[in-house]
Amino acid sequence: MRRRRTRNRAPWVLLPLAAVGVAFIVLPLVALLQRTPWGDLGRLLGDPVVTDALRLSLVSALVATVLSLLVGVPLAWVLARTDFPGRAVVRALVTLPMVLPPVVGGAALLFAFGRRGLLGEPIYDGTGFLLPFSLWGVIAANTFVAMPFLVITVEAGLRSADERYEDAAATLGASRWTIFRRITVPNAMPAVLAGAVLCWARALGEFGATVTFAGNLQGRTQTMPLAVFLALESDRDAAIALSLVLIAVSLAVLIPLRDRWLR
Amino acid sequence: MSTLDAAIRLRLGDLDLDVALGADTGEAVAILGPNGAGKTTIVRALAGLVPIDGGCITLDGAVLDRPDSATFVPSERRPIGVVFQDYLLFPRMSARDNIAFGLRSRGIDKAAAHEQADAWLDRFGLAEHARSRPSALSGGQAQRVALARALATNPKLLLLDEPLAALDASTRVHVRAELRRHLTTFEGARILITHDPIDALILADRLVIVEDGRITQTGTAADITSRPATRYVADLVGINLLHGRLDGSTVHLADGGELTVAADDDVPRGDVALAIRPQAIALYAERPDGSPRNVWAATVADLEADRDRIRVRLSGPISLTAEVTATAAHTLDLRPGQQVWASIKAVDVSVYER
């Protein structure tokens, strides 16, 4: 049945511009597909370089997202719900990794957690644990770069949530922790999930901070983006195959989630 | 002994609140006032959601908030239940979990809390909605869940902030009667916030009128009706109060005449009181077309101009005061002794048991 629509009819100037926007994003992907060596794909994808990189990418992006949730949600709550001197500065600092070139972030991480780093040196001297050039280094780099996406999304969600539900919970005798756990977080869940998806997506594509802080060691720290970059120099077909895998994984996550939680 | 004794001084934005009020055990006090008078802020102060600047709030002898002695008992430790405007049922919890929330917060284990919640659901006729999310409930059902949630923690004081404002006119009458019935089972003190005088008359023993952050009058409905202190109060008490016997959907009025009402099955048949807003009574020069059931010929006994509105006292089978605009009065050419046709919709007659 045809319905007459009156509200969501786009002003006509928007349509060609929107089409240019889509084309700009889709065209490079089409070009990539057009160059794909479909016949060789099976062999290329079975290569340990690819499987190692895929495993490292998925693990590090997932762990980085979990870590970001663990500290990012409380941080977002503090930024949204409390007032303290210097809050504006803290908010700016928290979003800095989004603006900073990731290479700079990676270098800064080295100065903090490297063997001679601010915190890295005492930790290494005490325990022998070294963060850089390990899987944990990859995770640290991913978290550093991706967590701000989660924090700003959740903070916005908390700010737009109706705080009167928390008042209602307080009058029912709920402690602050109970209110946070049973009211605040469930009410902000769409924002938390949206933030987690953005954070994961950013972590999956992370390159600069990872290569600087964790290096490019196949099977240890070489994630998909690093493998692609390396392969572009030596084996173009392998690079394309890797890229396809990255795109497929990203779309597999984004298509079901984008409409529901990233509005 | 007074259960609640509160002197509240509080500045919040444009609001400058300075009121003193109390409520005894078992007493229902309505705080009635126009929007922006500070009514909701009174609720928030009593509930501990906003600290007062000056004064003192005590409940059963325990000081809850007293800036002088730096005493402030936070919300979660006050024995006060609140039914919020819009109810604020937790959207991601079932009706049962909403009611059990306060009990769970007090450390009662899940099974016991659910058992008590189910007892409340039963009592409020909501048993089949135990698993429903608030979005699946009607306005009246949501209100009962909100009331059960507030009462489940066994508070000494129950605050109701505009408990009927979220409902549309047709369900209001029904839910109001129901709320009155459920409230009578609560033994603590009740404070009801409303801007609707009918809510206040039906649900409260005593009225406190708040205008612009100050109390302008207190007393029983009869006290206030006989001596309205301000223009606002005078407007409020124009409401017609009638008595009669309800039989089916017809009320046989004590002073003669009868009215068809939209009373539902919850109002027991028998002695009832009726409240009718003067604005709800329509006047016509000729018998109106169609067949509204409450149409009668009345005589204009008296006219009283009140700015651009005219209060028309009607005699005849039913003595009532109507209110029309000056323009309408002019068009109808109203004057004492004149005969007019009066009509009122059944849903505009609020019926409650006496």
Side-chain angles (χ1 to χ4, degrees):
Chain A
M1 195 171 76
R2 282 178 62 178
R3 275 202 214 147
R4 290 203 305 160
R5 303 184 64 181
T6 50
R7 250 194 321 148
N8 287 335
R9 255 181 2 202
W12 68 268
V13 271
L14 298 190
L15 297 177
L17 293 172
V20 169
V22 172
F24 186 67
I25 290 170
V26 172
L27 195 65
L29 299 182
V30 171
L32 196 71
L33 289 175
Q34 179 244 328
R35 284 294 200 87
T36 303
W38 296 103
D40 272 351
L41 208 55
R43 181 185 58 80
L44 289 168
L45 292 182
D47 193 315
V49 174
V50 178
T51 52
D52 280 353
L54 183 60
R55 180 176 52 79
L56 279 174
S57 268
L58 291 177
V59 167
S60 60
L62 189 69
V63 175
T65 305
V66 171
L67 291 177
S68 295
L69 281 168
L70 203 64
V71 292
V73 173
L75 174 56
W77 188 90
V78 169
L79 293 178
R81 290 294 162 80
T82 62
D83 204 359
F84 56 90
R87 188 180 62 172
V89 177
V90 175
R91 291 184 76 193
L93 286 174
V94 165
T95 43
L96 193 61
M98 296 172 76
V99 188
L100 215 58
V103 178
V104 177
L109 280 170
L110 271 179
F111 299 139
F113 298 105
R115 187 183 295 220
R116 300 251 168 276
L118 200 57
L119 201 59
E121 184 160 14
I123 290 176
Y124 180 69
D125 290 348
T127 65
F129 177 74
L130 206 51
L131 198 54
F133 307 107
S134 70
L135 177 59
W136 285 106
V138 178
I139 292 165
N142 282 354
T143 308
F144 180 82
V145 173
M147 188 168 68
F149 288 85
L150 179 112
V151 174
I152 59 164
T153 311
V154 175
E155 189 189 337
L158 288 173
R159 281 177 190 279
S160 66
D162 191 341
E163 285 181 52
R164 295 180 310 153
Y165 288 104
E166 293 164 21
D167 290 345
T171 67
L172 291 166
S175 65
R176 289 176 200 191
W177 171 240
T178 303
I179 294 173
F180 177 78
R181 198 168 49 85
R182 293 200 59 196
I183 308 297
T184 314
V185 171
N187 281 358
M189 197 45 89
V192 172
L193 292 171
V197 171
L198 276 177
C199 174
W200 177 85
R202 178 63 187 87
L204 192 69
E206 184 7 65
F207 178 86
T210 310
V211 79
T212 314
F213 184 59
N216 195 353
L217 312 168
Q218 192 216 317
R220 285 185 58 197
T221 68
Q222 188 183 71
T223 56
M224 293 292 278
L226 272 56
V228 173
F229 186 74
L230 212 64
L232 274 175
E233 300 291 303
S234 53
D235 182 354
R236 188 161 292 247
D237 284 353
I240 291 170
L242 280 162
S243 304
L244 279 182
V245 173
L246 205 49
I247 290 168
V249 169
S250 304
L251 286 180
V253 171
L254 288 179
I255 287 175
L257 299 186
R258 175 68 171 86
D259 245 18
R260 223 187 302 168
W261 292 318
L262 288 180
R263 286 175 194 270
Chain B
M1 187 195 99
S2 188
T3 304
L4 172 75
D5 198 355
I8 298 170
R9 285 198 297 282
L10 180 59
R11 275 176 182 279
L12 205 68
D14 286 343
L15 178 69
D16 172 17
L17 190 66
D18 186 353
V19 297
L21 45 96
D24 291 328
T25 303
E27 189 186 28
V29 176
I31 299 176
L32 186 60
N35 290 326
K39 303 190 298 292
T40 292
T41 307
I42 294 175
V43 167
R44 293 181 60 80
L46 292 175
L49 296 170
V50 56
I52 58 176
D53 297 337
C56 182
I57 299 172
T58 61
L59 183 60
D60 265 0
V63 176
L64 297 181
D65 193 348
R66 185 170 178 179
D68 282 353
S69 60
T71 309
F72 181 78
V73 177
S75 268
E76 61 266 28
R77 293 212 303 271
R78 294 189 185 194
I80 296 177
V82 187
V83 175
F84 288 88
Q85 198 169 359
D86 308 329
Y87 313 135
L88 302 180
L89 297 178
F90 305 129
R92 283 157 204 277
M93 292 184 201
S94 66
R96 174 194 283 141
D97 286 335
N98 264 279
I99 297 171
F101 185 89
L103 300 165
R104 299 274 289 127
S105 297
R106 281 168 172 71
I108 293 173
D109 74 71
K110 197 166 187 165
H114 276 174
E115 201 175 308
Q116 288 193 41
D118 286 344
W120 280 102
L121 287 162
D122 258 353
R123 188 162 153 194
F124 281 8
L126 292 162
E128 70 271 35
H129 299 288
R131 290 165 184 281
S132 305
R133 291 287 176 98
S135 58
L137 299 174
S138 72
Q141 289 163 350
Q143 192 214 48
R144 278 180 278 163
V145 173
L147 184 62
R149 184 176 73 171
L151 292 177
T153 57
N154 196 21
K156 290 175 178 163
L157 171 67
L158 179 66
L159 303 174
L160 301 120
D161 188 1
E162 297 278 7
L164 296 153
L167 305 170
D168 59 61
S170 57
T171 53
R172 256 180 105 106
V173 176
H174 165 79
V175 176
R176 184 157 44 210
E178 202 176 71
L179 179 61
R180 180 184 151 91
R181 208 155 46 80
H182 291 308
L183 283 180
T184 52
T185 63
F186 175 64
E187 287 161 2
R190 280 156 279 164
I191 289 190
L192 164 82
I193 299 287
T194 180
H195 68 277
D196 184 334
I198 294 186
D199 293 349
L201 291 172
I202 293 178
L203 299 171
D205 308 313
R206 196 156 58 81
L207 274 58
V208 173
I209 315 284
V210 177
E211 291 173 68
D212 203 16
R214 298 288 186 279
I215 290 174
T216 51
Q217 196 167 8
T218 64
T220 63
D223 293 343
I224 287 178
T225 320
S226 57
R227 282 185 298 280
T230 66
R231 166 63 204 269
Y232 172 74
V233 182
D235 277 358
L236 289 185
V237 297
I239 287 176
N240 297 290
L241 283 173
L242 302 171
H243 300 293
R245 284 188 63 78
L246 177 61
D247 178 15
S249 59
T250 305
V251 176
H252 304 281
L253 299 171
D255 301 328
E258 55 184 52
L259 284 172
T260 302
V261 296
D264 49 50
D265 303 334
D266 289 13
V267 180
R269 272 43 189 166
D271 286 343
V272 292
L274 309 179
I276 302 170
R277 282 167 213 283
Q279 296 87 343
I281 301 168
L283 300 181
Y284 305 90
E286 305 289 333
R287 188 184 172 91
D289 289 337
S291 55
R293 280 172 293 183
N294 294 319
V295 176
W296 68 96
T299 309
V300 176
D302 191 5
L303 293 165
E304 185 189 337
D306 192 359
R307 296 195 192 169
D308 57 343
R309 288 171 292 172
I310 310 286
R311 288 177 172 280
V312 186
R313 281 233 301 282
L314 302 171
S315 60
I318 306 168
S319 293
L320 286 172
T321 301
E323 187 179 283
V324 297
T325 61
T327 320
H330 184 74
T331 312
L332 287 165
D333 194 20
L334 293 179
R335 65 191 93 196
Q338 187 189 346
Q339 210 196 47
V340 291
W341 289 89
S343 88
I344 179 158
K345 290 181 193 152
V347 292
D348 286 334
V349 183
S350 304
V351 188
Y352 52 102
E353 63 177 295
R354 280 170 74 189

